[in-house]
Amino acid sequence: MILILKPNTNPASEEYQLLLRYLDALNGVAHEVRHIQGAEQRLTEIYLIGDTKPLLIQFMRGLPCVQRVVRVQEAYRFLGRHGDEALQHGFTYNGVTFDQDCLHVFAGLCAVDTRSNVEAMMRALQANNQQCTRMGAYKPRTNPYSFQGHGAACLPYVFELAGKYGIKVIAMEVTHESHIEEINEALELTGQPTGIMLQIGTRNTQNFELLKAAGRQETHPVLLKRGFGITLNESLNAAEYLASEGNRNVVFALRGMKTNLGDPHRNFVDFSHVPVIHRLTRMPVCVDPSHAVGSRHRTPDGVLDLLHATAQGVIAGANIVLVDFHPRPSQALVDGPQALLMSELPTFLEDVHIARSAYEKRVSLVKSYRQGQAVAA
Ligand code: PEP
Ligand code: MN
């Protein structure tokens, strides 16, 4: 059961203390308090864990400070929506808010190769008012002889350049627990110039020990990619591993499914699942059109398949777009053929904006219809 308290409830208030004393006295039910700092208000949720069946929703709703009560379903205990449309969740990390209403573009290098390419990328992002990026330092490669990423060696200059160009959040894949420590050390060394969203890739979606390690720390949010060959339910349970260890700041990313049914795309684009994840969980949803489409093919209308796929995700309400760019794709050590060019960045961002406006118009259209129906009833 989750008790959602009135916004901005003061933990020092008499009523709040009264509520806690009541919960302390409940037999066989433990409670865990979570504060969620949103852009405008602070939300407090209290999770009741144990035998909550005898607790009546009507009664719990009458307790001091309580605004709403949600009975938790078995699936996705911490990240699930539990059939409650109004249940909010989001987090602010390094000044950037992530929730199911936001939209951020994380354009950047699939893999860090040279300092000058990192700098060219970040300079272009700043010129286009972007504060998030993607930068791969640890690359999980199919072939052991392929470039594996520069690892810890590149972190200091990547972080310093991020600070120089006003980048607040970098999505960076980790493939082993020790990478989190290396990232923390480099952040410390460089004076915390930026923030890192730890990315767990599709090959590691069910690497439970890695999930537990990323879940045990609450410094950095986690962007979890959907597993490319497992069910959506299995991938959502993987996200719940992170949350059950303590870290609820989780973003769920769609990147296409591995099947020849998706040919000629690299993966079968699954962005129609954006609304499904919004409905089943409270996580912000990311789409990765680069790894889904995997090429720079274009349609006769002149638009790249990759931009069409991006628009499909955004028009369905996606909250993050993770996308590969490169200043010189022919020099890229990983995924050059799918990278967008620096000169394409403004057009890409404008196209995302067009799709987002269309999404917002769709939402308000349906809202008016539903309000009309409610008045008529
Ligand atoms: C990536 O984003 O660089 C990546 C390797 O993606 P995925 O795990 O989706 O293949
Ligand atoms: Mn890649």
mmCIF file of all heavy atoms in Angstrom, residues 11-35:
data_model
loop_
_atom_site.group_PDB
_atom_site.id
_atom_site.type_symbol
_atom_site.label_atom_id
_atom_site.label_comp_id
_atom_site.label_asym_id
_atom_site.label_seq_id
_atom_site.Cartn_x
_atom_site.Cartn_y
_atom_site.Cartn_z
ATOM 1 N N PRO A 11 7.718 17.569 7.352
ATOM 2 C CA PRO A 11 8.038 16.433 8.234
ATOM 3 C C PRO A 11 8.107 16.833 9.708
ATOM 4 O O PRO A 11 8.033 15.973 10.583
ATOM 5 C CB PRO A 11 9.409 15.962 7.751
ATOM 6 C CG PRO A 11 9.630 16.620 6.459
ATOM 7 C CD PRO A 11 8.787 17.846 6.395
ATOM 8 N N ALA A 12 8.248 18.135 9.981
ATOM 9 C CA ALA A 12 8.343 18.559 11.387
ATOM 10 C C ALA A 12 6.953 18.846 11.967
ATOM 11 O O ALA A 12 6.828 19.104 13.170
ATOM 12 C CB ALA A 12 9.205 19.810 11.474
ATOM 13 N N SER A 13 5.906 18.776 11.127
ATOM 14 C CA SER A 13 4.581 19.166 11.624
ATOM 15 C C SER A 13 4.007 18.133 12.586
ATOM 16 O O SER A 13 4.333 16.939 12.520
ATOM 17 C CB SER A 13 3.613 19.384 10.455
ATOM 18 O OG SER A 13 3.370 18.146 9.819
ATOM 19 N N GLU A 14 3.132 18.616 13.455
ATOM 20 C CA GLU A 14 2.481 17.771 14.465
ATOM 21 C C GLU A 14 1.702 16.636 13.785
ATOM 22 O O GLU A 14 1.769 15.471 14.181
ATOM 23 C CB GLU A 14 1.552 18.675 15.302
ATOM 24 C CG GLU A 14 0.865 17.999 16.460
ATOM 25 C CD GLU A 14 1.843 17.384 17.462
ATOM 26 O OE1 GLU A 14 2.961 17.929 17.659
ATOM 27 O OE2 GLU A 14 1.496 16.329 18.014
ATOM 28 N N GLU A 15 0.980 16.997 12.700
ATOM 29 C CA GLU A 15 0.146 15.980 12.013
ATOM 30 C C GLU A 15 1.002 14.860 11.427
ATOM 31 O O GLU A 15 0.647 13.686 11.494
ATOM 32 C CB GLU A 15 -0.600 16.619 10.833
ATOM 33 C CG GLU A 15 -1.669 17.593 11.210
ATOM 34 C CD GLU A 15 -1.683 18.696 10.184
ATOM 35 O OE1 GLU A 15 -0.684 19.458 10.142
ATOM 36 O OE2 GLU A 15 -2.666 18.784 9.417
ATOM 37 N N TYR A 16 2.137 15.248 10.853
ATOM 38 C CA TYR A 16 3.017 14.238 10.246
ATOM 39 C C TYR A 16 3.544 13.290 11.320
ATOM 40 O O TYR A 16 3.581 12.072 11.134
ATOM 41 C CB TYR A 16 4.164 14.942 9.515
ATOM 42 C CG TYR A 16 5.111 13.992 8.802
ATOM 43 C CD1 TYR A 16 4.764 13.403 7.602
ATOM 44 C CD2 TYR A 16 6.366 13.697 9.345
ATOM 45 C CE1 TYR A 16 5.624 12.530 6.951
ATOM 46 C CE2 TYR A 16 7.237 12.828 8.701
ATOM 47 C CZ TYR A 16 6.868 12.249 7.500
ATOM 48 O OH TYR A 16 7.728 11.382 6.866
ATOM 49 N N GLN A 17 3.928 13.875 12.450
ATOM 50 C CA GLN A 17 4.442 13.059 13.562
ATOM 51 C C GLN A 17 3.361 12.097 14.065
ATOM 52 O O GLN A 17 3.640 10.947 14.385
ATOM 53 C CB GLN A 17 4.952 13.957 14.712
ATOM 54 C CG GLN A 17 6.160 14.809 14.318
ATOM 55 C CD GLN A 17 7.331 13.971 13.785
ATOM 56 O OE1 GLN A 17 7.561 12.854 14.279
ATOM 57 N NE2 GLN A 17 8.029 14.461 12.771
ATOM 58 N N LEU A 18 2.134 12.594 14.084
ATOM 59 C CA LEU A 18 0.997 11.779 14.522
ATOM 60 C C LEU A 18 0.821 10.577 13.576
ATOM 61 O O LEU A 18 0.631 9.438 13.996
ATOM 62 C CB LEU A 18 -0.257 12.673 14.480
ATOM 63 C CG LEU A 18 -1.418 12.306 15.378
ATOM 64 C CD1 LEU A 18 -0.984 12.442 16.842
ATOM 65 C CD2 LEU A 18 -2.589 13.279 15.106
ATOM 66 N N LEU A 19 0.919 10.878 12.281
ATOM 67 C CA LEU A 19 0.798 9.813 11.268
ATOM 68 C C LEU A 19 1.880 8.763 11.470
ATOM 69 O O LEU A 19 1.613 7.561 11.491
ATOM 70 C CB LEU A 19 0.900 10.435 9.864
ATOM 71 C CG LEU A 19 0.998 9.452 8.704
ATOM 72 C CD1 LEU A 19 -0.295 8.666 8.547
ATOM 73 C CD2 LEU A 19 1.307 10.177 7.389
ATOM 74 N N LEU A 20 3.135 9.223 11.667
ATOM 75 C CA LEU A 20 4.238 8.271 11.839
ATOM 76 C C LEU A 20 4.041 7.420 13.094
ATOM 77 O O LEU A 20 4.318 6.220 13.076
ATOM 78 C CB LEU A 20 5.578 9.002 11.919
ATOM 79 C CG LEU A 20 6.139 9.541 10.609
ATOM 80 C CD1 LEU A 20 7.620 9.865 10.766
ATOM 81 C CD2 LEU A 20 5.958 8.592 9.433
ATOM 82 N N ARG A 21 3.542 8.048 14.167
ATOM 83 C CA ARG A 21 3.320 7.280 15.404
ATOM 84 C C ARG A 21 2.273 6.197 15.158
ATOM 85 O O ARG A 21 2.413 5.067 15.608
ATOM 86 C CB ARG A 21 2.888 8.215 16.547
ATOM 87 C CG ARG A 21 4.088 8.917 17.215
ATOM 88 C CD ARG A 21 3.757 9.396 18.615
ATOM 89 N NE ARG A 21 2.767 10.466 18.613
ATOM 90 C CZ ARG A 21 3.060 11.756 18.346
ATOM 91 N NH1 ARG A 21 4.318 12.119 18.088
ATOM 92 N NH2 ARG A 21 2.130 12.675 18.368
ATOM 93 N N TYR A 22 1.235 6.536 14.372
ATOM 94 C CA TYR A 22 0.196 5.546 14.064
ATOM 95 C C TYR A 22 0.808 4.383 13.267
ATOM 96 O O TYR A 22 0.583 3.210 13.580
ATOM 97 C CB TYR A 22 -0.950 6.197 13.272
ATOM 98 C CG TYR A 22 -1.998 5.199 12.893
ATOM 99 C CD1 TYR A 22 -2.975 4.807 13.808
ATOM 100 C CD2 TYR A 22 -1.985 4.586 11.646
ATOM 101 C CE1 TYR A 22 -3.908 3.836 13.481
ATOM 102 C CE2 TYR A 22 -2.919 3.619 11.307
ATOM 103 C CZ TYR A 22 -3.873 3.251 12.233
ATOM 104 O OH TYR A 22 -4.788 2.279 11.908
ATOM 105 N N LEU A 23 1.635 4.708 12.271
ATOM 106 C CA LEU A 23 2.232 3.671 11.423
ATOM 107 C C LEU A 23 3.209 2.805 12.221
ATOM 108 O O LEU A 23 3.284 1.594 12.030
ATOM 109 C CB LEU A 23 2.935 4.296 10.207
ATOM 110 C CG LEU A 23 2.027 5.105 9.269
ATOM 111 C CD1 LEU A 23 2.850 5.699 8.124
ATOM 112 C CD2 LEU A 23 0.897 4.243 8.706
ATOM 113 N N ASP A 24 3.953 3.443 13.136
ATOM 114 C CA ASP A 24 4.897 2.697 13.985
ATOM 115 C C ASP A 24 4.176 1.628 14.802
ATOM 116 O O ASP A 24 4.725 0.566 15.068
ATOM 117 C CB ASP A 24 5.609 3.647 14.979
ATOM 118 C CG ASP A 24 6.722 4.426 14.301
ATOM 119 O OD1 ASP A 24 7.211 3.967 13.249
ATOM 120 O OD2 ASP A 24 7.087 5.504 14.813
ATOM 121 N N ALA A 25 2.946 1.939 15.165
ATOM 122 C CA ALA A 25 2.214 1.032 16.065
ATOM 123 C C ALA A 25 1.530 -0.119 15.317
ATOM 124 O O ALA A 25 1.018 -1.041 15.940
ATOM 125 C CB ALA A 25 1.186 1.838 16.848
ATOM 126 N N LEU A 26 1.569 -0.071 13.949
ATOM 127 C CA LEU A 26 0.891 -1.142 13.189
ATOM 128 C C LEU A 26 1.666 -2.452 13.321
ATOM 129 O O LEU A 26 2.880 -2.470 13.121
ATOM 130 C CB LEU A 26 0.803 -0.770 11.705
ATOM 131 C CG LEU A 26 -0.204 0.292 11.304
ATOM 132 C CD1 LEU A 26 -0.087 0.574 9.811
ATOM 133 C CD2 LEU A 26 -1.629 -0.165 11.638
ATOM 134 N N ASN A 27 0.958 -3.514 13.589
ATOM 135 C CA ASN A 27 1.605 -4.821 13.775
ATOM 136 C C ASN A 27 1.908 -5.483 12.437
ATOM 137 O O ASN A 27 1.032 -5.576 11.583
ATOM 138 C CB ASN A 27 0.646 -5.738 14.558
ATOM 139 C CG ASN A 27 1.159 -5.925 15.958
ATOM 140 O OD1 ASN A 27 2.340 -5.736 16.226
ATOM 141 N ND2 ASN A 27 0.260 -6.297 16.866
ATOM 142 N N GLY A 28 3.140 -5.930 12.250
ATOM 143 C CA GLY A 28 3.478 -6.683 11.041
ATOM 144 C C GLY A 28 3.515 -5.839 9.770
ATOM 145 O O GLY A 28 3.507 -6.383 8.668
ATOM 146 N N VAL A 29 3.531 -4.533 9.914
ATOM 147 C CA VAL A 29 3.611 -3.661 8.722
ATOM 148 C C VAL A 29 4.745 -2.652 8.931
ATOM 149 O O VAL A 29 4.704 -1.854 9.859
ATOM 150 C CB VAL A 29 2.279 -2.899 8.481
ATOM 151 C CG1 VAL A 29 2.396 -1.997 7.262
ATOM 152 C CG2 VAL A 29 1.126 -3.880 8.318
ATOM 153 N N ALA A 30 5.754 -2.750 8.056
ATOM 154 C CA ALA A 30 6.860 -1.780 8.143
ATOM 155 C C ALA A 30 6.550 -0.623 7.196
ATOM 156 O O ALA A 30 5.737 -0.770 6.280
ATOM 157 C CB ALA A 30 8.148 -2.454 7.735
ATOM 158 N N HIS A 31 7.185 0.521 7.408
ATOM 159 C CA HIS A 31 6.969 1.607 6.447
ATOM 160 C C HIS A 31 8.280 2.254 6.024
ATOM 161 O O HIS A 31 9.261 2.229 6.754
ATOM 162 C CB HIS A 31 5.987 2.652 6.983
ATOM 163 C CG HIS A 31 6.467 3.367 8.204
ATOM 164 N ND1 HIS A 31 6.157 2.965 9.477
ATOM 165 C CD2 HIS A 31 7.250 4.453 8.332
ATOM 166 C CE1 HIS A 31 6.722 3.775 10.337
ATOM 167 N NE2 HIS A 31 7.399 4.683 9.679
ATOM 168 N N GLU A 32 8.230 2.769 4.796
ATOM 169 C CA GLU A 32 9.424 3.395 4.223
ATOM 170 C C GLU A 32 8.996 4.709 3.591
ATOM 171 O O GLU A 32 8.075 4.740 2.777
ATOM 172 C CB GLU A 32 9.978 2.454 3.148
ATOM 173 C CG GLU A 32 11.309 2.872 2.615
ATOM 174 C CD GLU A 32 11.681 2.062 1.374
ATOM 175 O OE1 GLU A 32 11.605 0.823 1.396
ATOM 176 O OE2 GLU A 32 12.044 2.716 0.377
ATOM 177 N N VAL A 33 9.641 5.780 3.996
ATOM 178 C CA VAL A 33 9.242 7.112 3.501
ATOM 179 C C VAL A 33 10.123 7.499 2.318
ATOM 180 O O VAL A 33 11.339 7.335 2.359
ATOM 181 C CB VAL A 33 9.410 8.168 4.626
ATOM 182 C CG1 VAL A 33 8.979 9.551 4.135
ATOM 183 C CG2 VAL A 33 8.607 7.763 5.863
ATOM 184 N N ARG A 34 9.497 7.988 1.241
ATOM 185 C CA ARG A 34 10.256 8.472 0.083
ATOM 186 C C ARG A 34 9.838 9.904 -0.208
ATOM 187 O O ARG A 34 8.650 10.204 -0.271
ATOM 188 C CB ARG A 34 9.931 7.656 -1.176
ATOM 189 C CG ARG A 34 10.136 6.188 -1.086
ATOM 190 C CD ARG A 34 11.571 5.769 -1.033
ATOM 191 N NE ARG A 34 12.356 6.184 -2.188
ATOM 192 C CZ ARG A 34 13.633 5.821 -2.381
ATOM 193 N NH1 ARG A 34 14.249 5.044 -1.509
ATOM 194 N NH2 ARG A 34 14.292 6.234 -3.437
ATOM 195 N N HIS A 35 10.814 10.779 -0.363
ATOM 196 C CA HIS A 35 10.509 12.157 -0.753
ATOM 197 C C HIS A 35 10.863 12.319 -2.223
ATOM 198 O O HIS A 35 11.918 11.868 -2.660
ATOM 199 C CB HIS A 35 11.323 13.150 0.081
ATOM 200 C CG HIS A 35 10.997 13.086 1.545
ATOM 201 N ND1 HIS A 35 9.774 13.468 2.039
ATOM 202 C CD2 HIS A 35 11.726 12.647 2.606
ATOM 203 C CE1 HIS A 35 9.770 13.286 3.351
ATOM 204 N NE2 HIS A 35 10.932 12.784 3.726
#
